[in-house]
Amino acid sequence: MKKYLMMAQWSPYIAGALVGVLAILSVVVTTSVLHKAQYLGASTTYVRAAGIVEQVVEPEHVAQNAYFQKEKVKVDWQMMFVGGIFLGALAASLLGRTAKIEWAPPVWRERFGANPLIRAVGAFIGGFILLFGARLAGGCPSGHGLSGNMQLSVSSLLALVFFIVGALLTARQLYGSDGKGGL
Amino acid sequence: MELFLGLITGILFGFFLQKAEVLRFEKQVRFMLLKDLTIIKFMGTAVLVGMVGITALNQMGVIALSLKATNVAAIIMGGLLFGVGWAVAGFCPGTAVGALAEGRMHALWALLGMLFGAAAYAEAYPVLAKTVLTWGDYGKLTLPQVLGVSPWLIIAAFVAGMLLLFWQAERKGL
């Protein structure tokens, strides 16, 4: 057991199969304990977290917003799930000795240089667009990509196809087909 | 109990994501350039295992499905927007938190952008709810419903497709 926990990496097939089992167990356990099936997902947490932050400044504005009313601004199962991802990844990276401080990743550096400020701007803009898009589409690669497709949902298959189309076209523009710089 | 279950599930999910290396910017962007299919191997296997269990348990009446509306216009526009942002950030909402945990500090800016993006969506929602979100809304649909076949036929086709893809990926060293 210890040997496996300390390995730097696992086969993606093994890790993927374990996530499949985890997703099934989560639905079964939450159905019996909470009487509500909790499927894995992440993007709604950012809405609730934004609401919690905004409440500090303008509580009335948050109370009146239809989307915050719909998604309920509170700490819930999914927010703890997203927080748990941090702890789990931290433990895995420390055990496997794969944690590394990095301000600009290698592929990015080759194309846009090592300046952490330029990477920060890119990451911020990307994060902004992707979360807006995820909420419009109704989910992200966790909620739609994993959970929705496990349920053979039409909306999730459609969403995953367009996630990938958008990403492939954009990556090709940004990095070129050789990964060394595009248009 | 709800919060405790969420935390435990998240810790395990984060552990598996990290060990599979799918948190990494490189893995995500190199997938988009079709040079490394780790993400597809990981997601494909997870969905494969999950769909068998979820379908069986649902047919036995043990669990209920939780489907999202098939509002076609919103999914296409939102999906494409997500893809654009995903390629620029190199992270998605689930992996960015884990990437930060393994020291990839630039995930912090992506997380900050996501919070602002979420706040912006909340502001835009009243308008979107009356427009885009109503365009081509077919409600909650499953593939077996639409195609009029057994879910097991769709699962069999998916399994065959994924195995073929995995075999090709391994053969070409992707």
Side-chain angles (χ1 to χ4, degrees):
Chain A
M1 184 71 178
K2 197 178 167 203
K3 188 183 114 196
Y4 292 108
L5 294 180
M6 292 181 72
M7 279 168 84
Q9 64 179 90
W10 291 355
S11 150
Y13 299 115
I14 305 282
L18 287 168
V19 165
V21 173
L22 178 69
I24 299 168
L25 281 177
S26 169
V27 175
V28 172
V29 171
T30 51
T31 299
S32 72
V33 177
L34 308 172
H35 308 294
K36 181 177 176 276
Q38 280 293 351
Y39 287 86
L40 311 186
S43 64
T44 317
T45 288
Y46 293 85
V47 175
R48 300 196 182 103
I52 289 171
V53 176
E54 278 185 55
Q55 265 177 349
V56 178
V57 193
E58 279 187 284
E60 283 149 43
H61 180 73
V62 174
Q64 281 161 10
N65 179 282
Y67 198 60
F68 286 133
Q69 284 171 9
K70 179 172 176 279
E71 301 295 350
K72 312 254 186 321
V73 178
K74 59 167 190 180
V75 177
D76 69 338
W77 183 94
Q78 199 196 76
M79 196 178 283
M80 297 303 286
F81 172 77
V82 173
I85 294 176
F86 184 91
L87 297 176
L90 182 68
S93 66
L94 293 177
L95 284 167
R97 297 173 187 275
T98 45
K100 187 175 76 179
I101 298 294
E102 172 187 278
W103 290 94
V107 175
W108 175 278
R109 281 205 302 266
E110 262 182 46
R111 177 73 180 96
F112 300 103
N115 188 340
L117 196 66
I118 295 174
R119 172 59 192 147
V121 172
F124 181 89
I125 293 172
F128 186 101
I129 298 172
L130 78 85
L131 209 102
F132 193 98
R135 287 330 306 155
L136 185 58
C140 64
S142 302
H144 265 317
L146 293 175
S147 300
N149 283 308
M150 283 176 195
Q151 303 175 63
L152 308 178
S153 157
V154 174
S155 59
S156 299
L157 185 60
L158 197 62
L160 186 61
V161 167
F162 283 95
F163 291 165
I164 292 177
V165 168
L168 259 56
L169 293 175
T170 310
R172 201 156 277 260
Q173 291 297 313
L174 285 175
Y175 297 99
S177 54
D178 58 354
K180 295 253 160 62
L183 305 171
Chain B
M1 196 60 194
E2 179 195 335
L3 300 184
F4 175 74
L5 285 176
L7 185 67
I8 295 293
T9 314
I11 289 174
L12 289 168
F13 188 57
F15 200 95
F16 300 149
L17 285 172
Q18 204 281 336
K19 288 296 185 195
E21 299 188 312
V22 293
L23 300 172
R24 308 270 160 82
F25 176 95
E26 274 67 30
K27 291 286 180 188
Q28 309 224 357
V29 169
R30 284 174 55 80
F31 154 63
M32 297 170 200
L33 298 169
L34 300 178
K35 293 184 186 304
D36 182 332
L37 298 184
T38 307
I39 304 244
I40 295 297
K41 295 174 194 173
F42 173 84
M43 281 189 76
T45 318
V47 171
L48 248 161
V49 171
M51 63 174 35
V52 171
I54 298 289
T55 303
L57 290 164
N58 181 242
Q59 284 187 338
M60 286 154 61
V62 179
I63 57 160
L65 299 184
S66 170
L67 300 166
K68 291 168 180 184
T70 319
N71 34 21
V72 175
I75 292 174
I76 293 176
M77 287 165 65
L80 288 173
L81 272 177
F82 178 89
V84 171
W86 185 22
V88 177
F91 298 117
C92 60
T95 58
V97 195
L100 182 64
E102 59 169 3
R104 275 62 176 181
M105 305 306 286
H106 50 108
L108 197 59
W109 314 125
L111 288 167
L112 202 62
M114 289 183 211
L115 282 178
F116 276 89
Y121 185 78
E123 297 308 314
Y125 180 76
V127 176
L128 294 171
K130 277 184 258 167
T131 53
V132 187
L133 288 161
T134 62
W135 300 343
D137 187 355
Y138 295 92
K140 297 177 176 181
L141 293 175
T142 65
L143 292 169
Q145 269 178 333
V146 172
L147 301 174
V149 295
S150 158
W152 296 105
L153 190 67
I154 294 165
I155 291 175
F158 182 78
V159 170
M162 286 318 275
L163 287 179
L164 196 67
L165 186 68
F166 293 161
W167 174 59
Q168 283 296 320
E170 295 305 329
R171 211 170 62 99
K172 293 184 176 160
L174 291 171

